[in-house]
Amino acid sequence: MDTTKLPKHKSSLALAPLTLCVSIACHARGVSPYLPLNMSPDIERKIERVLILGDKPIMHRPIAAAIVLDALPKACQKDEQLCEEVRSYLDLYMHTAKITEARVEGTLASGESGTSLPNQRGMPVSSKWDVAASAYYQPSDYLLVNGSAVAYQGRINPAGSVISMGFDFAQLDIGYRDHWFSPNTDSSMLMSTEAPAMPSITLSNYRPLTPLGISYEIFLARMSSQQNIIYQNTTTTGHPNLAGIQLSIEPASGYAIAINRLMQYGGGARGGTSLKQFYKALFDNSAANHADSASGTEFGNQEASVTASALFPSRVPFAVHIEYAAEDNTYAGNKYFGDTAFTLGMDFPELWKDFDFSYEVSEWQNAWYVHHLYPQGMSNDGFVLGHWFGDERTNHPGIGGHSQMIRAGYRFGSSSYLQAIYRDMTYVPAWAGVNTVVEPDYRLHEGGLRFSTGWHHHNIAAELFAGRDIAGKSFARLSGSFDIASFTGNNAVAMSADDSSTDTSIFVDAGINRSRRNEQFNLLPTVYDDFKENYHAGIGARRRVSDRNDLGVRLESDQVAGHNLLSIRLIDYRYRLGSRMAIGGFFGASRYEAGLPAYGWYRGVNFTYMNLFRNWDLCLDAFQAYKLNRDAVLADDLPSNASQPRVYFNIDGTKLYFSKRW
């Protein structure tokens, strides 16, 4: 695309290169505006489809508008009408100044529930109105001022009000910028829009660096005030700081993996204002952080995750999103996750004709969003920073459970869209332990139906949303909205197409495993059981990323010592030695259902004899699922060390199986 022919401020989104003299001449582009989170489901879904069809995995949000523009050429090869609709929306961001959103919504609400709407910055289901407005002014390619606010009954939050300056490789954002650290769109364990936005300073890039496709985001935010923060055998009141970092790589088109980390620290007498403390919050994950938890002198409250996103441009294109997260570390050292959570998401942007479908399922252990130092844990203005389930455990915070989300949509022509969504969530009383009585609560159910359409270049929508919260209290909402801001259907940006294609394979595995298990308490020496044989099954997808290299993801199920071992390969790599043989390696996470689910890391190597029969491969794996752990809360768990009250499992073995490809 020849961006040099665009007007000046159109090139700040299309991002025309200019010459910078640092030590050598290099090409850089200016800042990019961000697309708002929680916009209308219609345009949000269209953008998600463009990114999947355009082979652009998204590891964090809000999304830079320039990334969507870069995804359009490849997406246009698969859905030209969709591209025209998204280009029309992006035209809002191609001016010196523009109002991009001015949405007003009115609601008729009923019911006794006091729950909040998921990912809506704390908005209660009882709110009778809400307003969202956003406008920007861009005097230069390297400076952008965005004014934005979200208001509902009882609160105004300037979410999205940001001053941005810099370049595509280093954009500095100062203000109430949102942060979302997950490729999933409804579930994010570390950071989401469940709570109101916080004031923050953020440094990030939207143009991947080096052939590895390195992207980063580093931020420091100021949280709302908390009382009774523990410090040196007493309590203090103040505003904790929140330090966050994400580092991701995209080694092949359509595949990305990231490590994410949050640290809540400081507040009142705990301090936390120095640069040294900020550095320690981001990078010091040693056991010293927990050495003095009784006196409250440990450094802070931490969370971490590994996320992956794999896009597959098959006849029915789809995406797989994975998040493996931890509220703390465990065992010895700093590389083993404790108090874990796992989310798996599947997204089909064009399942059949004009239908789309997505599904996300999450499971978490104890201790999420609660902490012994900070009584309100990882929260802002009384709402958790991460997954929406955290605000639903009103009676029993910190107890493990699971949730799921199902979403389906159908588009009518170019401007009308119907979307249905369903969520449920429950916690598992067994996580509370044998000495704690947990009264039975209801399972949360909620669902909605939303229809949106265009009218004279304005968006209008109607939604019916109803459900029952975890305490069994019902609610219902009927709302209608109108966006005063308008967008045109014209966009003069010329598009070029990338004619490259990538092969995608879907496969299922069936065979046997020969494995052994060790159950470990109190950090005792490992003593393994005898090897035993049982079934192995799997399903996965891979794509050819070069002449000899394949990359994908895979879900596996094995029976080990009478319990199910479920494993996910975040990285499933294969190197083809020729037309018949291939070797590879894999890395991911495992879930072992032994009373209660225990999670840990998963790794191994693979040998494949390809095309034993047509589209049938014979595979041999050597694997290890190690430091699978959970709280020792069941009656038949052995006595546990008070400083490490957890159960650990180690499993290793081999797998021999056939793999059928399509």
Side-chain angles (χ1 to χ4, degrees):
M1 177 169 56
D2 185 3
T3 58
T4 60
K5 296 181 180 179
L6 294 172
K8 178 180 179 182
H9 297 301
K10 287 199 174 187
S11 67
S12 63
L13 175 58
L15 305 169
L18 65 143
T19 303
L20 293 178
C21 296
V22 184
S23 57
I24 58 174
C26 62
H27 292 289
R29 302 185 290 186
V31 297
S32 172
Y34 296 108
L35 302 181
L37 289 166
N38 305 317
M39 64 184 90
S40 73
D42 175 30
I43 188 62
E44 198 164 65
R45 201 68 181 113
K46 288 175 181 177
I47 289 170
E48 290 168 1
R49 293 208 305 268
V50 161
L51 292 169
I52 292 175
L53 297 176
D55 240 8
K56 291 286 186 182
I58 297 298
M59 305 306 290
H60 60 251
R61 288 172 169 80
I63 302 170
I67 293 177
V68 182
L69 190 71
D70 291 344
L72 284 176
K74 186 177 288 188
C76 282
Q77 299 177 61
K78 304 176 179 69
D79 194 329
E80 180 63 33
Q81 177 180 323
L82 173 66
C83 287
E84 290 299 326
E85 295 163 7
V86 172
R87 280 203 297 264
S88 177
Y89 176 77
L90 291 180
D91 183 70
L92 286 171
Y93 298 90
M94 295 185 177
H95 305 271
T96 302
K98 187 75 173 178
I99 297 174
T100 56
E101 184 178 24
R103 179 178 53 82
V104 179
E105 183 172 84
T107 300
L108 297 175
S110 65
E112 300 178 351
S113 176
T115 190
S116 58
L117 293 167
N119 304 318
Q120 296 295 323
R121 302 182 179 90
M123 185 166 70
V125 295
S126 59
S127 179
K128 293 179 172 57
W129 59 269
D130 65 279
V131 176
S134 182
Y136 69 88
Y137 172 60
Q138 187 164 7
S140 164
D141 290 341
Y142 310 101
L143 176 64
L144 174 69
V145 180
N146 194 87
S148 183
V150 175
Y152 51 83
Q153 197 169 349
R155 187 189 303 275
I156 299 176
N157 183 232
S161 293
V162 174
I163 298 175
S164 302
M165 60 191 78
F167 311 94
D168 54 358
F169 61 87
Q171 179 166 323
L172 181 67
D173 302 313
I174 303 173
Y176 285 80
R177 183 189 189 276
D178 287 311
H179 302 274
W180 183 293
F181 277 6
S182 173
N184 289 295
T185 58
D186 193 70
S187 313
S188 179
M189 291 302 299
L190 268 60
M191 289 290 291
S192 72
T193 55
E194 179 68 12
M198 299 172 286
S200 63
I201 300 175
T202 307
L203 184 67
S204 64
N205 67 317
Y206 64 83
R207 173 174 62 88
L209 306 176
T210 79
L212 283 176
I214 298 173
S215 295
Y216 66 90
E217 181 178 320
I218 304 172
F219 74 86
L220 176 63
R222 184 174 186 262
M223 307 178 75
S224 60
S225 179
Q226 291 195 21
Q227 297 180 343
N228 300 317
I229 301 171
I230 305 298
Y231 182 58
Q232 294 185 347
N233 299 309
T234 185
T235 61
T236 184
T237 298
H239 293 266
N241 295 320
L242 183 71
I245 184 171
Q246 181 186 86
L247 295 174
S248 67
I249 61 171
E250 188 181 347
S253 180
Y255 178 86
I257 187 167
I259 55 174
N260 313 278
R261 180 161 161 72
L262 292 183
M263 174 65 85
Q264 179 185 25
Y265 68 101
R270 295 184 68 88
T273 58
S274 71
L275 186 61
K276 180 179 180 181
Q277 287 176 308
F278 175 58
Y279 178 84
K280 182 178 181 180
L282 288 176
F283 300 108
D284 185 2
N285 188 32
S286 65
N289 281 340
H290 314 281
D292 299 309
S293 59
S295 64
T297 57
E298 63 179 293
F299 186 69
N301 178 19
Q302 60 183 331
E303 294 175 353
S305 68
V306 177
T307 54
S309 180
L311 313 182
F312 297 95
S314 59
R315 185 176 61 85
V316 179
F318 66 97
V320 180
H321 306 309
I322 303 165
E323 180 178 17
Y324 179 46
E327 200 282 336
D328 212 334
N329 59 351
T330 187
Y331 202 72
N334 58 10
K335 61 181 181 294
Y336 298 117
F337 279 8
D339 299 320
T340 53
F342 186 84
T343 299
L344 175 64
M346 295 284 293
D347 195 350
F348 295 86
E350 293 182 351
L351 182 62
W352 179 68
K353 293 185 178 179
D354 293 317
F355 284 93
D356 62 81
F357 177 82
S358 58
Y359 176 72
E360 294 177 17
V361 59
S362 299
E363 184 176 63
W364 58 91
Q365 296 181 338
N366 286 337
W368 275 93
Y369 312 126
V370 297
H371 199 258
H372 57 277
L373 295 182
Y374 297 93
Q376 297 180 36
M378 288 281 194
S379 68
N380 188 59
D381 287 335
F383 298 93
V384 302
L385 300 182
H387 198 300
W388 51 263
F389 82 78
D391 288 325
E392 302 295 341
R393 303 169 305 170
T394 52
N395 294 336
H396 302 287
I399 292 181
H402 49 82
S403 69
Q404 64 178 339
M405 182 278 295
I406 304 170
R407 183 176 60 199
Y410 178 72
R411 58 176 175 171
F412 305 83
S414 63
S415 61
S416 298
Y417 183 67
L418 179 67
Q419 184 183 83
I421 190 168
Y422 169 78
R423 299 182 183 92
D424 68 27
M425 169 259 171
T426 188
Y427 60 76
V428 179
W431 278 111
V434 294
N435 297 321
T436 303
V437 178
V438 177
E439 67 272 15
D441 279 351
Y442 292 93
R443 184 172 183 171
L444 177 146
H445 296 275
E446 60 184 31
L449 192 65
R450 183 182 180 93
F451 176 75
S452 61
T453 189
W455 180 72
H456 292 281
H457 303 298
H458 297 276
N459 181 267
I460 58 175
E463 181 179 26
L464 175 64
F465 193 73
R468 185 184 66 187
D469 65 21
I470 200 70
K473 296 180 180 180
S474 299
F475 66 88
R477 292 168 49 89
L478 177 62
S479 58
S481 66
F482 179 74
D483 194 343
I484 301 171
S486 63
F487 60 93
T488 68
N490 300 318
N491 193 313
V493 178
M495 304 302 298
S496 61
D498 182 353
D499 294 328
S500 62
S501 60
T502 306
D503 294 335
T504 297
S505 296
I506 311 297
F507 55 88
V508 295
D509 305 331
I512 60 171
N513 78 77
R514 187 171 188 269
S515 57
R516 58 182 180 178
R517 184 197 77 174
N518 163 255
E519 186 173 358
Q520 184 176 2
F521 296 88
N522 300 335
L523 311 185
L524 296 174
T526 300
V527 178
Y528 282 94
D529 300 332
D530 294 332
F531 281 104
K532 295 180 180 179
E533 292 77 29
N534 216 308
Y535 77 84
H536 166 75
I539 183 171
R542 72 169 64 93
R543 56 184 296 182
R544 179 174 297 190
V545 297
S546 72
D547 289 341
R548 291 184 176 269
N549 295 284
D550 300 331
L551 199 57
V553 293
R554 190 182 315 198
L555 181 66
E556 301 175 297
S557 178
D558 294 274
Q559 191 79 4
V560 177
H563 301 287
N564 188 54
L565 176 70
L566 194 67
S567 304
I568 185 78
R569 302 187 185 186
L570 285 79
I571 303 174
D572 191 11
Y573 170 74
R574 187 175 75 172
Y575 179 80
R576 282 171 275 107
L577 298 171
S579 61
R580 289 289 185 177
M581 292 185 290
I583 57 175
F586 51 88
F587 176 79
S590 289
R591 175 191 185 273
Y592 190 51
E593 183 69 51
L596 287 169
Y599 280 90
W601 298 113
Y602 178 62
R603 63 189 176 189
V605 294
N606 165 268
F607 172 80
T608 301
Y609 185 84
M610 297 182 293
N611 290 311
L612 179 66
F613 309 105
R614 181 176 175 82
N615 295 326
W616 285 84
D617 301 336
L618 180 64
C619 305
L620 176 65
D621 296 353
F623 75 96
Q624 182 183 37
Y626 58 106
K627 296 301 180 286
L628 306 160
N629 67 93
R630 61 167 174 81
D631 287 348
V633 294
L634 300 181
D636 56 353
D637 288 338
L638 295 176
S640 184
N641 189 323
S643 64
Q644 289 283 348
R646 301 186 71 77
V647 183
Y648 294 88
F649 301 94
N650 295 288
I651 298 170
D652 70 323
T654 56
K655 304 177 186 183
L656 181 65
Y657 55 93
F658 290 100
S659 184
K660 173 66 170 70
R661 291 178 281 110
W662 287 272

